[in-house]
Amino acid sequence: MDRGRRFETGSIRNMSGDAMRNAAPAILLATGIIQYVGASIAVTLFAVASASAVAWGRVAVGAIVMMAWRRPRIEWRKLWRPAVLGLALVTMNILFYQAIDRIPLGTAVALEFIGPVLLAAVTGRNWRIWTGIVFAATGVFMISWIGVDMNEPGVAAGVGFAVAAGAAWALYMWMGSKVATAGVGPDSLAIGMAIGAVVYIPLAIPSFGVILTDPKLLALMVAVGLFSSVVPYFLEVTILTKVPASTFALLNSLYPATSLVVGMVMLRQFPNLGEIGGLVLISIAVIFVTWNPGRQRIPRA
């Protein structure tokens, strides 16, 4: 298979362009659900291993599958880009898992979405972006000072980890756009995930052995890697080039709400009015900073 080619298999591959465009919204929403189901499974593993070890396991599983899937050719002179991409991705995952170990999943995802807003603030200047920043800042205020009790043990740290994960996500998105433009996004991601997994392996050593020696726990870990990394990425790179930017912006803004629903169903995490208000405001902010009707496609790593 040619390098840089988007993967399409099975029924998705056989879909016509119009059919794929029609199905894209449902597929992307399913992507969000699958991704946060994986995160919910990861939360259950925190009882036996550290959040950092579980985050490492997610990336390691993803790296193994992606490297076997893509079988990329390594270009040593250009290795720094995949390395930065992968390190940003693994850092984001570790910070995010530290966050959901301390605060509800939906709240952490909403705060993490500050990342796209920060990236837009750095790369663009117009009324939509500034409006989005105001909505995002207000949303963070509602979550941090009204929605959650910052005096509870670990909550303030959880909020900080979620916001830091958003910053790492912004770096990942920025570098992802660079490698996607070069037409080698999937290969770079596979290499980057492998590099990130190797660099961060010390975080897994203290507690990951418990998962490795228990078939049931190992199966759950593989499920986390597949649900949170491999399957969502496959779905996105398969159909995202068919989705208009306006549709992508709308669906992207629904991801925090999707995580909220998954958290309620799987983890029994029920938000208060402050958390819901903050989530809605941040979702509106995402729409403002990503909506660009003049651009027909969103480049992805």
Side-chain angles (χ1 to χ4, degrees):
M1 187 167 288
D2 295 338
R3 297 179 71 252
R5 177 180 172 181
R6 305 289 189 188
F7 272 91
E8 301 174 349
T9 89
S11 60
I12 293 180
R13 183 176 184 176
N14 295 326
M15 292 174 66
S16 67
D18 289 340
M20 191 177 292
R21 277 189 289 274
N22 292 333
I27 294 174
L28 285 177
L29 283 178
T31 297
I33 293 173
I34 292 170
Q35 191 166 227
Y36 299 129
V37 166
S40 298
I41 297 173
V43 170
T44 66
L45 291 174
F46 294 165
V48 297
S50 69
S52 295
V54 175
W56 178 88
R58 165 187 169 174
V59 176
V61 170
I64 292 170
V65 174
M66 288 292 292
M67 289 295 287
W69 183 7
R70 292 298 304 187
R71 287 178 288 181
R73 186 179 66 187
I74 298 176
E75 299 182 43
W76 297 102
R77 290 181 297 178
K78 300 179 181 179
L79 194 61
W80 69 272
R81 283 187 176 179
V84 173
L85 183 72
L87 290 173
L89 175 63
V90 182
T91 301
M92 174 185 70
N93 286 329
I94 290 172
L95 292 170
F96 178 69
Y97 275 33
Q98 290 289 345
I100 63 176
D101 191 27
R102 295 167 171 82
I103 60 177
L105 174 64
T107 301
V109 170
L111 290 171
E112 187 189 28
F113 264 74
I114 296 300
V117 178
L118 289 174
L119 183 61
V122 171
T123 59
R125 294 288 188 275
N126 58 51
W127 70 269
R128 290 184 299 102
I129 290 174
W130 291 116
T131 303
I133 291 172
V134 171
F135 273 104
T138 307
V140 172
F141 172 80
M142 290 196 67
I143 290 174
S144 303
W145 280 270
I146 301 175
V148 297
D149 186 355
M150 298 289 279
N151 293 319
E152 287 188 12
V155 170
V159 169
F161 279 126
V163 174
W169 188 15
L171 175 60
Y172 168 74
M173 292 170 67
W174 177 76
M175 183 55 66
S177 68
K178 300 293 184 183
V179 299
T181 301
V184 291
D187 289 358
S188 294
L189 182 62
I191 296 170
M193 291 176 73
I195 292 174
V198 171
V199 170
Y200 277 103
I201 197 169
L203 295 180
I205 293 174
S207 60
F208 198 76
V210 177
I211 295 176
L212 281 177
T213 55
D214 188 315
K216 181 179 178 180
L217 295 178
L218 184 59
L220 290 174
M221 187 73 261
V222 171
V224 171
L226 293 176
F227 288 178
S228 295
S229 295
V230 179
V231 174
Y233 178 73
F234 165 74
L235 293 175
E236 285 186 354
V237 300
T238 302
I239 57 93
L240 201 52
T241 56
K242 302 294 184 181
V243 179
S246 56
T247 302
F248 176 79
L250 178 61
L251 294 173
N252 214 32
S253 70
L254 293 177
Y255 277 3
T258 302
S259 69
L260 182 69
V261 173
V262 172
M264 287 191 295
V265 172
M266 293 195 65
L267 300 174
R268 297 295 185 264
Q269 296 175 342
F270 298 97
N272 56 36
L273 291 178
E275 290 173 298
I276 293 175
L279 182 149
V280 170
L281 289 172
I282 291 173
S283 295
I284 293 173
V286 173
I287 293 177
F288 270 105
V289 302
T290 59
W291 190 283
N292 189 350
R295 187 176 59 200
Q296 295 303 308
R297 298 290 180 264
I298 300 293
R300 299 282 288 197

